[in-house]
Amino acid sequence: MDLEIRNIDDLRAKIALLKIKKQEDEIYLNQKYISVKEKLTSPFSFVKNLFISNRSFSQPSSPLKADFVTSLGRILIPLFLNKTILRNRGFLFKTIVSLISQKTINSSVFNKDVLSNWIDKATGFVKSKTKKEKRYGIDDYGIPPESETA
């Protein structure tokens, strides 16, 4: 592989070849360095991006004033999640989920109107008809419509 250097032209060609090889090696090592650096810093940049307020994600384009339901939701929803869904999770996981939920709750997503709609749907689901209301209708006078009266 190594060429024998017999004269000055061979020496100059070998020097030029080694300079090109040096540049190629520098480019390769620089690319590897950048690749390894990105792999090592990607988890940190992900967490950093979660906590930096991104206008398109955390805030609507026209800022709305937060009512008391939104303010309470920012406090109570993370507590509710920690007591129910995230019961046996680690402290770090609970903290991250709490911070994310506080960032995502804004007045356009969670306000009095949205809460009242949720409550109406829940009460409509819980308040179901009894067997008699399902079978005979709401107006039940005690006499079934199929019976004969004497």
Side-chain angles (χ1 to χ4, degrees), residues 80-146:
F80 175 74
L81 289 174
N82 286 340
K83 293 294 181 184
T84 56
I85 298 172
L86 306 174
R87 174 168 269 169
N88 294 326
R89 301 290 180 163
F91 174 75
L92 183 63
F93 186 76
K94 285 183 179 182
T95 304
I96 290 172
V97 170
S98 296
L99 290 173
I100 291 171
S101 65
Q102 286 177 354
K103 286 266 189 194
T104 57
I105 296 172
N106 56 32
S107 58
S108 67
V109 175
F110 188 77
N111 56 23
K112 289 187 284 190
D113 299 329
V114 172
L115 183 64
S116 65
N117 287 339
W118 288 354
I119 291 173
D120 290 342
K121 287 180 184 178
T123 56
F125 179 73
V126 170
K127 183 179 133 182
S128 64
K129 296 180 180 181
T130 62
K131 273 188 173 180
K132 286 183 182 179
E133 288 176 352
K134 288 180 185 176
R135 186 172 178 193
Y136 302 118
I138 296 173
D139 297 328
D140 184 20
Y141 298 109
I143 302 172
E146 298 94 18

Side-chain angles (χ1 to χ4, degrees), residues 1-70:
M1 183 168 172
D2 286 334
L3 298 174
E4 248 184 68
I5 300 173
R6 297 184 189 148
N7 55 25
I8 193 78
D9 292 332
D10 291 343
L11 181 62
R12 288 184 182 139
K14 184 73 173 178
I15 291 172
L17 184 65
L18 289 174
K19 284 182 181 179
I20 292 172
K21 176 120 174 68
K22 176 186 167 196
Q23 289 175 350
E24 288 176 352
D25 289 345
E26 286 178 355
I27 291 171
Y28 175 77
L29 289 175
N30 192 17
Q31 288 174 347
K32 283 296 183 181
Y33 171 74
I34 290 171
S35 172
V36 170
K37 183 180 174 183
E38 286 177 356
K39 286 181 183 178
L40 291 176
T41 59
S42 64
F44 299 115
S45 64
F46 173 74
V47 172
K48 181 181 172 186
N49 289 337
L50 285 178
F51 298 120
I52 293 176
S53 80
N54 185 358
R55 293 208 180 269
S56 64
F57 180 68
S58 66
Q59 296 174 352
S61 59
S62 61
L64 302 171
K65 289 187 176 181
D67 55 356
F68 72 95
V69 174
T70 306

